[in-house]
């Protein structure tokens, strides 16, 4: 679905034409020299950039400029631009995978475009045609296809970004903007057999709050998390589990959605994640996991290595640290894992809370039955090895 609202400045006759984002106007300027591909897996996430980037600008009187694919390089911006001062900056995180046929594929990319449009709207950035941007991203991926690592689970990470470029200090919505898209090859954050990570539950600093912006992918949501993250790392924890409220409600872990698996008395399993109440970023991986778990229980598919008879009951409901402590004491807390595009599914080994650790039974083995089944299925769908609905799309 295209989200293309008429900009507020567009008026009938006599007024300048406000150009919509038009993929057919794409200008391609290829780099004369190409960079060598990385020869090792041992690179930090996001450090290596590919040869090209996609850039387009919005001006209030002209609308969207012709989009351009050009050699990757620095941007030139007025130092007064609102992105540097008031942070109307939004982004997406998606990945391109290479399928068994050698074709680059994207995973549910329309969902990323819709979320990007919602994020832009939240900070009053100008609207854009989401279908046109996706066409342009596919062109960029096709040009950069040699950068997609062929190893299973490896991918090319895509970072679409919109920044407010209004070059004035007035505290107001940015009526100018730039969309740019950059690419970086990505290995596996966590392998399917990685051990569980330790995470620290933090309630004194909050990531999001009712009426706030935690449900949108805005740059301004992340910097305030860096200090608590640093403090947690000093104590030996690799991520912060963000709590909210006097009842120590769990929201998310780092920049990932959070799930637990709980044994039921009837032998089935409950799979629980916090609800989308505005404090939670509506992750595509989260939504995909919930849909796959439901499909397993409804007999529409069988998740790898999970018996078809094992019913997985999904719940989007409030989850507190006290719930986790109680289930852990009763031996019912079977798994905890974090999900997101970068990690796919990351196992949690222990959760620090008020000076004690809740230790998961899968601490040493990593992903448990449900986490592993999801990880394998999601990675197979992304890589085009397991067709599922219209989730995996080629870049034609
Ligand atoms: C991006 C992000 C996620 C994961 O979303 P996906 O669409 O699954 O990648 C979760 N939480 C936060 C805070 C995020 O920024």
């Amino acid at each position: 679905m295209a989200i293309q609202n008429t900009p507020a400045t567009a008026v009938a006759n006599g007024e300048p034409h406000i150009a919509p984002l038009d993929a057919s106007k794409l200008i391609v300027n290829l780099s004369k020299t190409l960079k060598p591909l990385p020869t090792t897996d041992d690179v930090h996430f996001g450090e290596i950039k590919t040869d090209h980037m996609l850039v387009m600008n919005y001006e209030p009187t002209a609308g969207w400029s012709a989009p351009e694919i050009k050699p990757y390089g620095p941007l030139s911006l007025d130092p007064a631009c609102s992105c540097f001062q008031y942070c109307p900056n939004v982004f997406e995180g998606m990945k391109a995978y290479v399928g068994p046929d050698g074709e680059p594929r994207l995973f549910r990319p329309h969902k990323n475009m819709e979320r990007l449009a919602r994020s832009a709207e939240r900070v009053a950035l100008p609207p854009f045609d989401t279908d046109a941007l996706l066409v342009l991203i596919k062109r960029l991926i096709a040009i950069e296809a040699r950068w997609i690592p062929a190893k299973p689970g490896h991918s090319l990470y895509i970072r679409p970004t919109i920044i407010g470029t209004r070059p004035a200090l007035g505290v107001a919505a940015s009526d100018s903007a730039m969309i740019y898209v950059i690419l970086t090859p990505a290995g596996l954050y966590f392998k399917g057999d990685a051990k569980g990570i330790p995470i620290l539950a933090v309630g004194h600093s909050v990531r999001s709050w009712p009426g706030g912006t935690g449900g949108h992918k805005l740059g301004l949501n992340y910097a305030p998390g860096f200090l608590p993250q640093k403090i947690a790392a000093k104590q030996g924890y690799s991520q912060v589990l963000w709590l909210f409220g006097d009842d120590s409600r769990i929201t998310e872990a780092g920049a990932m959605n959070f799930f637990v698996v709980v044994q039921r008395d009837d032998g089935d399993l409950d799979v629980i994640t916090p609800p989308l109440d505005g404090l939670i970023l509506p992750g595509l991986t989260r939504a995909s996991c919930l849909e796959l778990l439901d499909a397993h229980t409804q007999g529409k598919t069988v998740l790898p290595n999970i018996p078809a008879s094992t019913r997985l009951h999904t719940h989007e409901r409030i989850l507190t640290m006290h719930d986790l402590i109680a289930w852990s004491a009763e031996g019912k807390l079977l798994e905890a894992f974090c999900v997101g595009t970068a990690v796919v599914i990351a196992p949690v080994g222990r959760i620090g809370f008020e000076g004690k650790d809740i230790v998961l039974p899968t601490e040493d083995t990593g992903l448990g039955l449900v986490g592993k089944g999801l990880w394998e299925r999601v990675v197979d769908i992304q890589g085009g090895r397991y067709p599922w609905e219209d989730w995996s799309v080629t870049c034609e």
Side-chain angles (χ1 to χ4, degrees):
M1 182 192 64
I3 299 177
Q4 174 70 66
N5 303 321
T6 310
T9 44
V11 192
N13 302 336
E15 289 291 321
H17 174 65
I18 305 292
L21 181 55
D22 185 348
S24 72
K25 291 191 185 147
L26 176 66
I27 299 161
V28 179
N29 250 317
L30 295 180
S31 183
K32 292 200 176 58
T33 54
L34 298 181
K35 300 173 187 174
L37 296 177
T39 50
T40 151
D41 267 4
D42 196 22
V43 285
H44 289 130
F45 171 69
E47 282 181 356
I48 296 178
K49 274 79 74 174
T50 67
D51 297 295
H52 301 95
M53 61 184 184
L54 169 67
V55 183
M56 63 220 81
N57 288 290
Y58 182 90
E59 294 297 337
T61 49
W64 286 104
S65 67
E68 189 179 1
I69 290 175
K70 60 184 186 181
Y72 184 92
L75 303 171
S76 176
L77 292 168
D78 189 308
C81 274
S82 87
C83 61
F84 300 126
Q85 306 291 332
Y86 312 122
C87 307
N89 303 332
V90 309
F91 67 96
E92 266 306 319
M94 44 205 291
K95 281 177 171 175
Y97 313 82
V98 60
D101 54 1
E103 285 289 315
R105 318 185 76 88
L106 298 169
F107 182 69
R108 310 185 79 180
H110 292 281
K111 300 262 176 211
N112 293 98
M113 295 299 102
E114 286 166 17
R115 188 168 67 189
L116 184 63
R118 282 200 304 277
S119 296
E121 187 184 29
R122 181 65 184 81
V123 288
L125 284 170
F128 62 94
D129 185 318
T130 53
D131 288 341
L133 184 58
L134 184 52
V135 168
L136 293 162
I137 289 175
K138 287 179 173 179
R139 282 294 301 277
L140 180 65
I141 300 297
I143 288 172
E144 299 290 61
R146 73 184 187 103
W147 285 91
I148 310 177
K151 280 196 203 164
H154 293 234
S155 58
L156 188 60
Y157 184 85
I158 309 164
R159 176 52 67 92
T161 308
I162 314 181
I163 59 175
T165 52
R166 178 173 178 261
L169 294 180
V171 185
S174 180
D175 53 5
S176 309
M178 175 189 288
I179 297 181
Y180 64 83
V181 182
I182 57 174
L183 310 173
T184 177
L188 290 171
Y189 242 83
F190 297 99
K191 298 189 177 65
D193 58 357
K195 290 194 168 166
I197 56 167
I199 62 176
L200 180 65
V202 169
H204 56 81
S205 295
V206 293
R207 193 195 83 86
S208 57
W209 48 88
T213 55
H216 295 85
K217 238 170 159 66
L218 310 185
L220 55 81
N221 287 334
Y222 300 84
F226 296 158
L227 183 58
Q229 164 71 39
K230 240 174 137 173
I231 295 168
K234 267 203 187 122
Q235 296 176 40
Y237 295 94
S238 56
Q239 293 289 338
V240 169
L241 181 64
W242 299 107
L243 306 181
F244 182 80
D246 295 335
D247 53 352
S248 298
R249 259 185 243 175
I250 293 166
T251 63
E252 295 195 57
M256 297 172 284
N257 294 119
F258 183 79
F259 282 77
V260 289
V261 179
V262 182
Q263 181 68 58
R264 287 163 54 121
D265 296 335
D266 64 4
D268 291 356
L269 300 175
D270 280 327
V271 186
I272 309 168
T273 193
L276 299 179
D277 55 2
L279 275 70
I280 309 281
L281 193 288
L284 252 77
T285 319
R286 175 189 179 279
S288 304
C289 287
L290 288 171
E291 288 172 52
L292 287 170
L293 292 164
D294 289 342
H296 176 94
T297 302
Q298 291 157 6
K300 291 181 188 155
T301 189
V302 180
L303 292 177
N305 299 313
I306 304 182
S309 58
T310 301
R311 292 196 300 178
L312 309 166
H313 302 269
T314 57
H315 306 271
E316 296 176 73
R317 71 157 178 83
I318 288 173
L319 192 61
T320 68
M321 285 309 298
H322 307 288
D323 292 333
L324 263 52
I325 291 165
W327 291 325
S328 177
E330 295 166 51
K332 291 179 178 172
L333 185 62
L334 303 182
E335 301 176 38
F337 50 85
C338 309
V339 312
T341 295
V343 297
V344 192
I345 321 263
V348 173
R350 53 177 66 221
I351 305 172
F353 179 59
E354 296 181 342
K356 291 198 192 119
D357 276 0
I358 300 174
V359 180
L360 275 296
T362 53
E363 184 184 27
D364 291 328
T365 50
L367 290 175
L369 181 77
V370 175
K372 186 101 197 253
L374 281 171
W375 186 83
E376 284 185 17
R377 179 55 50 83
V378 170
V379 168
D380 275 348
I381 297 172
Q382 290 171 334
R385 292 178 298 276
Y386 187 94
W388 184 251
E389 303 195 343
D390 57 352
W391 287 10
S392 180
V393 301
T394 57
C395 287
E396 259 127 49

